[in-house]
Amino acid sequence: MSKAGRLVVLVSGSGTNLQALLDASADPSYGARVVAVGADRDGIEGLARASRAGVPTFVRHLRDFPSRADWDAAIAADIAAHKPDLVISAGFMKILGAPTLDAFPVVNTHPALLPSFPGAHGVRDALAHGVKVTGCTVMLADAGVDTGPIIDQEAVRVLPGDDEAELHERIKTVERRLLVDTVGRMVREGWTVSGRVVRIGNHIGGENS
Ligand code: GRF
């Protein structure tokens, strides 16, 4: 088997998606391991999870840079230092700039069925719209807000009486499994993108042997 794919995971919060990737990569047959965790803020559980797992971390606050372009360059350099095969934006609350997007494939996860309800409040917006089915989307990140080519999706029913927190927790249970499964398949099998259509398999994107 080829060597494990190198994942750099970016977080801004609780990091349960990160934890799912850390747990999955404990099994060598998963085919990938988390080599670093980056964040845009301190004091978050996502960074604590990385430290407990012995994974190196880096933090770049936007406020510490004279411009967004300087922040973009700094975080891209931090990511590059860990030589990732794949970057995972797992609850990272910043749009990545060209220095990262042009250098690495970036997988993003979102708690709604895109293209419906993009943005920071996908669960709240879906609830307010009255949809009966929502879910989660794993996509390739591009320069837009949740606009990249969709890799995989799974549906979650909205239950009567759901509030945002309850629905988000049910979505996240599915989202973690979908993210782990999708990332594992990408690193093991490669992927191709044709227009907006992503297909896993054939070892084109993500070749790491
Ligand atoms: C996930 O639902 C992600 O899609 C959204 O924020 C949540 C992050 O959860 N953007 P966690 O930090 O991985 O627990």
Side-chain angles (χ1 to χ4, degrees):
M1 189 177 163
S2 58
K3 66 184 169 53
R6 298 173 64 82
L7 309 179
V8 169
V9 183
L10 304 177
V11 295
S12 297
S14 63
T16 63
N17 280 284
L18 163 66
Q19 188 68 54
L21 289 165
L22 289 167
D23 293 347
S25 59
D27 179 348
S29 70
Y30 182 60
R33 67 196 173 93
V34 180
V35 296
V37 171
D40 62 340
R41 61 198 76 188
D42 294 299
I44 54 173
E45 182 61 17
L47 288 171
R49 290 177 192 278
S51 299
R52 287 198 292 272
V55 172
T57 62
F58 54 90
V59 179
R60 292 289 180 181
H61 294 269
L62 188 51
R63 63 167 186 254
D64 293 340
F65 293 86
S67 71
R68 181 73 180 222
D70 290 301
W71 180 85
D72 281 336
I75 198 132
D78 288 334
I79 292 168
H82 295 282
K83 299 185 173 21
D85 295 298
L86 209 52
V87 176
I88 319 290
S89 174
F92 186 61
M93 300 305 283
K94 293 275 186 305
I95 303 296
L96 291 161
T100 298
L101 295 174
D102 292 350
F104 307 106
V106 180
V107 171
N108 190 10
T109 177
H110 181 70
L113 289 177
L114 294 169
S116 293
F117 312 117
H121 305 294
V123 179
R124 187 187 309 171
D125 294 345
L127 259 184
H129 198 87
V131 298
K132 304 302 179 226
V133 176
T134 183
C136 49
T137 302
V138 176
M139 80 206 91
L140 286 170
D142 65 10
V145 178
D146 300 325
T147 52
I150 291 168
I151 309 169
D152 210 345
Q153 296 182 296
E154 238 178 275
V156 174
R157 280 203 74 82
V158 180
L159 300 180
D162 263 348
D163 64 18
E164 183 181 355
E166 287 167 338
L167 179 57
H168 198 174
E169 270 316 308
R170 272 207 326 287
I171 292 170
K172 282 175 67 169
T173 302
V174 176
E175 186 181 12
R176 289 188 282 267
R177 177 172 41 73
L178 185 69
L179 180 67
V180 164
D181 176 59
T182 304
V183 167
R185 288 168 54 221
M186 289 174 79
V187 294
R188 291 190 304 269
E189 300 171 36
W191 69 93
T192 56
V193 186
S194 169
R196 287 197 53 86
V197 179
V198 181
R199 253 185 50 198
I200 295 179
N202 299 334
H203 282 283
I204 293 187
E207 183 70 71
N208 66 56
S209 55

